Amino acid sequence: MASVSTLLSGLSGLTVNARKLEVVGNNIANINVPGFKSSRVNVYNTFSRNFSLGSVPGADSGGTNPGQIGLGASVAGTQRNMSNAAVVPTGVPTDVGIEGSGFFIVSSAVGTSYTRAGNFQLNANNELVNTSGQRVQGFGVDQNFNVITGSLVPVEIPLGSK
């Protein structure tokens, strides 16, 4: 029976490392994708078995720790890295970046989605769109340039006017 638990412990470690390699490979493959956020794998120990109990500190010793044997490891989850990346000038006036953990809201006929990629351009109607043609959404402004909260509208940049 001991050899089976030993094999399962080793197998659990291989499974965890395989998942780590998948995440690292995904991070490397997407390194130059605009707005990409890397990930990391969180690991935790699975149940451990006590083979000796610990003892309390005495007058002449600090006590002893319990003897434990772990039964392997498991993936606790994958965590997205939302820290700020370096903002790199592109020379394109419609390219923008986000600091913090926010997202751009873009919409199309299919629906609304969120993105960190800020490589935008103007369409024929002077609306800010991403490379897929989805329109960037934001709150409108009135004649006095006060933000009108409530509903999102496509971001429009009327060239040649305020």
Side-chain angles (χ1 to χ4, degrees):
M1 186 66 173
S3 61
V4 172
S5 64
T6 302
L7 290 174
L8 292 176
S9 294
L11 182 61
S12 72
L14 289 172
T15 303
V16 166
N17 283 305
R19 178 68 182 135
K20 282 185 167 187
L21 284 173
E22 288 174 14
V23 171
V24 168
N26 186 51
N27 290 342
I28 292 170
N30 290 294
I31 193 76
N32 289 323
V33 174
F36 175 74
K37 291 298 192 181
S38 64
S39 298
R40 70 177 183 166
V41 174
N42 295 326
V43 179
Y44 70 95
N45 293 329
T46 54
F47 305 110
S48 61
R49 188 174 66 202
N50 292 332
F51 60 85
S52 69
L53 298 175
S55 64
V56 298
D60 298 326
S61 71
T64 59
N65 291 327
Q68 296 178 323
I69 297 174
L71 297 177
S74 186
V75 174
T78 304
Q79 184 179 23
R80 181 86 50 203
N81 176 7
M82 294 301 288
S83 64
N84 291 335
V87 178
V88 179
T90 62
V92 179
T94 55
D95 284 354
V96 293
I98 289 183
E99 289 187 358
S101 57
F103 289 88
F104 295 108
I105 302 171
V106 293
S107 70
S108 64
V110 177
T112 302
S113 56
Y114 303 90
T115 182
R116 295 275 303 178
N119 50 340
F120 301 124
Q121 57 199 14
L122 294 175
N123 66 7
N125 298 326
N126 290 328
E127 295 172 329
L128 204 57
V129 297
N130 65 7
T131 54
S132 301
Q134 296 174 306
R135 298 180 299 178
V136 179
Q137 301 291 300
F139 294 115
V141 293
D142 61 17
Q143 296 295 345
N144 297 323
F145 301 104
N146 296 316
V147 176
I148 304 169
T149 59
S151 63
L152 295 171
V153 295
V155 174
E156 190 176 316
I157 303 175
L159 298 175
S161 64
K162 288 187 178 180

